[in-house]
Each structure stands twice: as C-alpha cells, then as structure tokens.
Amino acid sequence: MLHSTLTGCRSWLFVPGHDADCLADALDSGADAIVIDLEEFTPAASRHTACQAFVSMAESCRQRGVSPMVRINALDKGGRAELKLLMGASPEAVFLPKVEEVTQLTALSSALSREEKHWGIAPETTAIIPTIESRLGIKRISELLHSCPRVLAALLGTGDLAHDLKLSPEERSASLAPFRQLFLRACDDAGMLAIDGPWPAKKGFEADQSWSYQCGFRARCVVDSRQIKPLHRLLSAPST
C-alpha cells in the first residue's frame, strides 16, 4: 500500500543533496516533506555523493517525523543509477522531472519494483510524483495521473512551465493562473494531491499563497525554507 500519509503533507521543501548547511536548515525548517533534488539543485559532479548521504538524511528526517523524498534525473540521464544508490534508504516518494509521456512513469514504476525487491522493501510502497512542467504535460495530465497506481500526487513545475510558455517575469503570475487552475482540477478529478509550484521571488509569496489557497491548493513546493512558517499559517486560515 502506498504511503497515504503523504497526501497530508502541506510543505514540500526542495533542497540540494550536497550542501550540508542546507540539509541542516531543512531539518530545522518545520517542513512536512524534504525532497533531495538531484535534478535541478545538485551539481552533476556531486550527485553520487548526495545519493550516498541520503541514507543518513532519510534517517534524520524520520526521527523528526518528516517524510524523506528525492527527485531523480530522467532514467536515461542518470536516474536509474541514482535509484540504485538511493533505494537502500527507502524514500517515501520519488519525483520524476519533465513528465510528458506515460512510458516515463511506467518505466520508473518497473525500476522501483526491481529496487524494492533487491532491498527487501515491501512491493508498491514507494510513491511516484510526476513533475508537470510543460504545455504538453498539462495537455496530457489526466492520462499521466491515471497511468500508474504508484502515482498519488503531482507537482506543477511553474518555473519550467513559464519558460516553455515563453513568459516574461512580469507576465508569469497572471499568465500561469489558468494553468495552475487546470492542473488543480485534473488532480482533484483523479483524487490526487495537487502540489502547487514554488514562488522564487523575495516578495509577494503571501499574496500568491493566499490566491493559491482560495483556488483550492492545499500543498506547495517550497525552495526557500523561510516560506514554511507563513505557508503553514496561510494553509490553516479559514476559507472565505
């Protein structure tokens, strides 16, 4: 059975896997889930070391009641080798970037099944969370969400989506709004948790998070640990 507790995670903090100070800060942040991001935040030269360090990081997370997770690279771009190193620590979920094809998810599910068997992990207990970050991914989202029983949530990669849509920083907030709403509706229709994308700017987080909450999002990817406390406060606000 997949980890149903993951659907209760509000804050999903993405951090580099090679930076000891960032990892220590993440553990003290109060985040519900910590995601070691090998795809975007960890330099290629440091990924092997980050995978090895994940064993102790996962244990530290569990001691604090935090869910340890990872975002790997695409299977054909190092992700398969990363899984072999990571799965000994039994991450609760594996994020896959730039998902546009059902075959990406079914291939990851098969790879996870092999690693679960190798490491003596109960079958089907590692969740998959696809990152939807392109116009094509949004177009195919319903099919992607129903492609694999391991998928129980999805993340909207707003940064790469804005790049794919060729949006300027000034256009980003307003132009992404309909895509965020479409993503949320698709996840709701599939009975899955919708994780809203990060807010990378220094200002404006609380206003955007209030909008996100009013739309119906109840979980968010965070890349700045200082946003965790206001996120939790805003997510506990009564609906109006």
Side-chain angles (χ1 to χ4, degrees), residues 1-4 6-7 12 83 87 90-95 104-118 121-130 144-154 192-193:
M1 180 180 296
L2 292 172
H3 297 282
S4 59
L6 297 188
T7 60
W12 304 65
L83 278 183
M87 286 300 292
S90 190
E92 294 188 23
V94 174
F95 285 75
Q104 293 172 268
L105 298 172
T106 55
L108 176 56
S109 182
S110 296
L112 287 172
S113 292
R114 289 192 293 272
E115 294 302 325
E116 285 170 341
K117 182 177 180 180
H118 173 78
I121 300 169
E124 300 287 319
T125 54
T126 310
I128 292 175
I129 303 180
L144 295 171
L145 293 179
H146 290 92
S147 65
C148 173
R150 290 182 185 269
V151 176
L152 57 73
M192 296 179 183
L193 180 69

